[in-house]
Amino acid sequence: MLSPLRNRFGIPGVISVIALVFAMLGGAYAASSNSGGGKASASAKAKKGPPGPKGATGPAGPAGPAGAAGAKGDAGAKGDTGAAGSSGTNGASAEAVSFAGAEHGCTEGGIEVKSAKPAVFICNGKKGTNGASAEAVSFAGAEHGCAEGGIEVKSAKPAVFVCNGKAGKDGKDGSPWVAGTAPDKVILKGTWAIPYYSAAAGGERIPAAISTGVPIPAGPGFYFAFARGVTFASAEEKEFAELLCPGTAEGPTVNTAFADKELGGAGVVCVYALTATNLTGPGIEPTPTNWGPMNSGGGGVVNFISTAAGIAKGSGSWAIYTK
């Protein structure tokens, strides 16, 4: 019954209406009592008067107890990236000046860093004393623990003695040919080079000088073999050259046993090519066209042969077996 009123007027309104009803009933009861008539009282009691005016809103009731905490909500979406901050101001460049004398707590001068706030002072260290110059004298004989003399360093404190080593034994006498003509049956070695030569045609002789450093003894002649790195005139020549000259450009040598047995006392010139362009050997027979020894100064001239017209060049090593 009270629900429509409560919905329309609220709790305070309902209370006001109830109060008004009780007030009216009380007034009717009072009137009935004063008149003394039972019928009039019954009539007034039965008749419902019009609703009274809306009463004033009552005071707010006390706050109810706090409800239980709700469940934790979901995390919110990530916010937008904030705008970039403004660039900072440029820092000051380092500034430092030196000063001399007793200043800023320094006795020997120093450096003032002016750009620091406050300024910073870096003092120089104190000057050290000058060192003594080295002084050494030599001595001979058995002194200061040295059997063969030595050197005394006087400037050291205490003095230091450096002994000479013991005298070594005399070496064997060298062969006397280094000051004269090379003897028989020795191998001399060296290098050769033809930097550039323009051959007009194939078969042209191209000279290359080699130096032995000492004169070569005159003999019945020299066999010449141009081994490794070139095209040979025949398979026989290639076989002979490689048998007589078994070395390489990095390690030139002569087959001395074969030379002594098969060549009848002739010398051998082995030429090894490290590089060779348009060059070949002139043959293996001992003729003036392929080898010309220079007995007076030491060495000789090797005459190579061009294979065709054009640029000829090469380099390598040689070994000569004297006879």
Side-chain angles (χ1 to χ4, degrees):
M1 177 179 177
L2 295 178
S3 296
L5 295 176
R6 185 177 59 187
N7 292 340
R8 182 174 181 181
F9 299 108
I11 297 298
V14 172
I15 296 173
S16 298
V17 170
I18 293 172
L20 178 61
V21 170
F22 276 102
M24 290 175 67
L25 291 176
Y29 178 78
S32 174
S33 299
N34 291 335
S35 64
K39 290 183 180 180
S41 175
S43 176
K45 193 180 224 184
K47 186 178 180 180
K48 183 179 180 180
K54 181 180 179 180
T57 302
K72 183 178 180 181
D74 296 333
K78 183 179 179 181
D80 296 333
T81 303
S86 58
S87 300
T89 57
N90 295 332
S93 299
E95 180 185 3
V97 295
S98 60
F99 60 89
E103 294 185 60
H104 310 297
C106 301
T107 59
E108 302 290 340
I111 295 175
E112 177 185 357
V113 185
K114 288 182 173 290
S115 54
K117 300 301 180 184
V120 174
F121 301 95
I122 304 172
C123 299
N124 293 332
K126 293 184 178 181
K127 293 182 179 179
T129 57
N130 294 331
S133 298
E135 181 185 1
V137 294
S138 61
F139 59 91
E143 294 186 60
H144 310 296
C146 299
E148 303 289 340
I151 295 174
E152 177 185 357
V153 183
K154 289 182 173 290
S155 54
K157 302 300 181 184
V160 173
F161 301 94
V162 182
C163 299
N164 293 332
K166 293 183 178 180
K169 296 180 180 179
D170 292 339
K172 294 181 179 180
D173 292 337
S175 300
W177 65 269
V178 295
T181 301
D184 291 343
K185 296 188 177 183
V186 295
I187 296 179
L188 309 178
K189 300 179 182 181
T191 59
W192 65 272
I194 299 175
Y196 180 92
Y197 186 92
S198 179
E204 185 173 339
R205 289 196 300 171
I206 304 173
I210 63 175
S211 175
T212 59
V214 292
I216 299 172
F222 284 85
Y223 277 84
F224 175 85
F226 195 162
R228 309 289 189 274
V230 297
T231 301
F232 293 93
S234 65
E236 180 183 3
E237 182 177 322
K238 179 177 183 297
E239 181 181 0
F240 183 83
E242 293 180 351
L243 178 62
L244 188 60
C245 306
T248 63
E250 293 80 6
T253 189
V254 177
N255 185 345
T256 57
F258 179 82
D260 290 340
K261 182 179 179 181
E262 302 294 339
L263 301 185
V268 178
V269 179
C270 288
V271 179
Y272 296 90
L274 184 62
T275 62
T277 301
N278 197 19
L279 291 175
T280 188
I284 60 175
E285 296 298 326
T287 65
T289 61
N290 56 24
W291 167 251
M294 296 181 292
N295 293 328
S296 60
V301 175
V302 176
N303 291 312
F304 298 99
I305 302 296
S306 63
T307 56
I311 304 303
K313 57 184 178 179
S315 63
S317 62
W318 54 262
I320 296 177
Y321 182 48
T322 61
K323 292 295 288 284

